[in-house]
């Protein structure tokens, strides 16, 4: 962990749905190489916070800076073209791994991994495939390159989703309850990949209920309740 390099900074973040506050004055800082786990009961604002960091949800107000890209959201004020441009660049430096995998069902595991490399990074298909095969090997799925999602287990789908995120060389990866849709025996294969990423120095923010993972891997644990960060502690506290 490099305390000199701030990767994510959140100041006074607020978000409501139908006038019901979901995030209230949230403040958070995450440094390069740090693994931060966010815990809390259902409805505490964990996922909304994570989705706000790359503007899958637009907060109502507050300051967000991710990988050097800063956006200040002011209540009732539309985002400017420059701010939307910053969000585009912010997303290019981050990856999001969802609870529900979000794979393309009509594409193979390899094609899911290489889609962004070809369509966004404009890599030649041969280069993209070479990178894709290497990433599938990294997550233990080298033999599944030609398999379609319908033929993969939940754990395998999630590992493909992680490989897809890694393909874009993100500086930060956001994980939104990546194991909650999996049977217990499939969770460990996904958590093992995440542990390996942590050991390699990847900056990660993880919303999860996996207390063992938090204790073993996290540098800090954030506990949320009622849209508020009520604790920011060393993992031994949990």
């Amino acid at each position: 962990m490099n305390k000199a390099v701030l990767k994510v900074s959140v100041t006074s973040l607020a978000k409501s749905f139908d006038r019901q506050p979901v995030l209230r004055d949230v403040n958070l800082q995450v440094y390069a190489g740090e693994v931060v786990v966010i815990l809390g009961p259902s409805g505490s604002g964990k996922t909304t916070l994570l989705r706000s960091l790359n503007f899958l949800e637009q907060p109502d107000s507050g300051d967000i800076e991710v990988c050097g890209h800063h956006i200040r959201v002011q209540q009732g004020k539309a985002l400017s073209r420059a701010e939307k441009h910053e969000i585009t660049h912010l997303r290019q430096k981050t990856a999001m791994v969802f609870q529900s995998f979000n794979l393309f069902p009509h594409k193979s595991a390899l094609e899911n991994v290489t889609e962004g490399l070809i369509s966004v990074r404009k890599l030649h298909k041969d280069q993209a495939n070479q990178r894709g095969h290497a990433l599938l090997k990294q997550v233990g799925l080298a033999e599944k390159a030609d398999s379609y999602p319908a033929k993969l287990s939940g754990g395998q789908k999630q590992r493909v989703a992680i490989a897809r995120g890694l393909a874009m060389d993100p500086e930060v990866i956001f994980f939104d309850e990546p194991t909650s849709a999996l049977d217990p025996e499939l969770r460990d294969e996904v958590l093992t990949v995440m542990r390996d990423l942590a050991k390699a120095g990847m900056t990660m923010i993880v919303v999860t209920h996996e207390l063992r993972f938090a204790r073993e891997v996290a540098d800090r644990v954030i506990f949320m309740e009622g849209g508020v960060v009520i604790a920011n502690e060393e993992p031994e506290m949990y």
Side-chain angles (χ1 to χ4, degrees):
M1 178 173 52
N2 185 354
K3 279 284 190 179
V5 181
L6 185 64
K7 286 295 181 182
V8 177
S9 178
V10 176
T11 306
S12 302
L13 198 67
K15 174 67 176 178
S16 296
F17 292 110
D18 297 325
R19 299 185 180 179
Q20 182 67 35
V22 178
L23 299 176
R24 311 165 187 252
D25 194 28
V26 173
N27 298 279
L28 175 67
Q29 291 185 324
V30 180
Y31 292 88
E34 196 172 20
V35 178
V36 173
V37 167
I38 304 177
L39 301 176
S42 297
S44 60
K46 307 183 301 297
T47 291
T48 301
L49 171 58
L50 202 67
R51 291 173 64 86
S52 294
L53 295 178
N54 64 355
F55 285 81
L56 291 175
E57 294 286 357
Q58 183 176 319
D60 297 329
S61 60
D63 283 83
I64 295 176
E65 183 172 336
V66 178
C67 302
H69 297 284
H70 175 249
I71 300 96
R72 172 171 291 172
V73 182
Q74 299 183 52
Q75 195 88 35
K77 185 177 179 181
L79 293 173
S80 68
R81 181 177 297 179
E83 288 166 332
K84 291 178 180 178
H85 192 64
E86 284 290 279
I87 291 170
T88 298
H89 286 294
L90 178 159
R91 288 174 174 164
Q92 290 172 352
K93 293 187 177 182
T94 63
M96 185 87 166
V97 177
F98 299 91
Q99 175 181 341
S100 54
F101 322 128
N102 287 15
L103 299 180
F104 294 111
H106 60 288
K107 292 182 180 291
S108 68
L110 179 64
E111 289 169 333
N112 267 281
V113 173
T114 60
E115 173 68 21
L117 292 173
I118 295 170
S119 63
V120 178
R121 294 289 174 84
K122 307 301 182 184
L123 281 189
H124 188 275
K125 186 175 180 180
D126 289 344
Q127 288 179 291
N129 284 346
Q130 184 176 1
R131 171 78 169 145
H133 280 294
L135 287 166
L136 287 172
K137 182 178 180 181
Q138 181 179 335
V139 299
L141 292 174
E143 76 287 356
K144 296 293 185 180
D146 296 325
S147 298
Y148 286 81
K151 298 295 185 181
L152 300 175
S153 70
Q156 290 168 338
K157 291 176 188 177
Q158 194 60 288
R159 286 187 282 158
V160 172
I162 293 172
R164 177 183 60 189
L166 291 171
M168 305 305 286
D169 293 319
E171 294 182 27
V172 181
I173 303 183
F174 306 127
F175 291 88
D176 184 15
E177 301 198 26
T179 61
S180 64
L182 304 179
D183 294 332
E185 64 269 20
L186 300 178
R187 291 176 186 167
D188 279 346
E189 62 189 53
V190 174
L191 292 173
T192 295
V193 170
M194 293 172 66
R195 288 186 183 96
D196 290 343
L197 290 174
K199 289 176 184 175
M202 176 60 71
T203 308
M204 298 158 59
I205 304 178
V206 184
V207 170
T208 185
H209 294 288
E210 300 282 353
L211 290 177
R212 189 181 73 177
F213 176 83
R215 293 190 193 103
E216 293 176 354
V217 181
D219 295 292
R220 278 187 295 126
V221 173
I222 306 296
F223 192 87
M224 295 186 67
E225 189 168 349
V228 177
V229 174
I230 62 172
N232 186 342
E233 308 283 357
E234 298 293 321
E236 290 79 9
M237 299 294 293
Y238 297 86

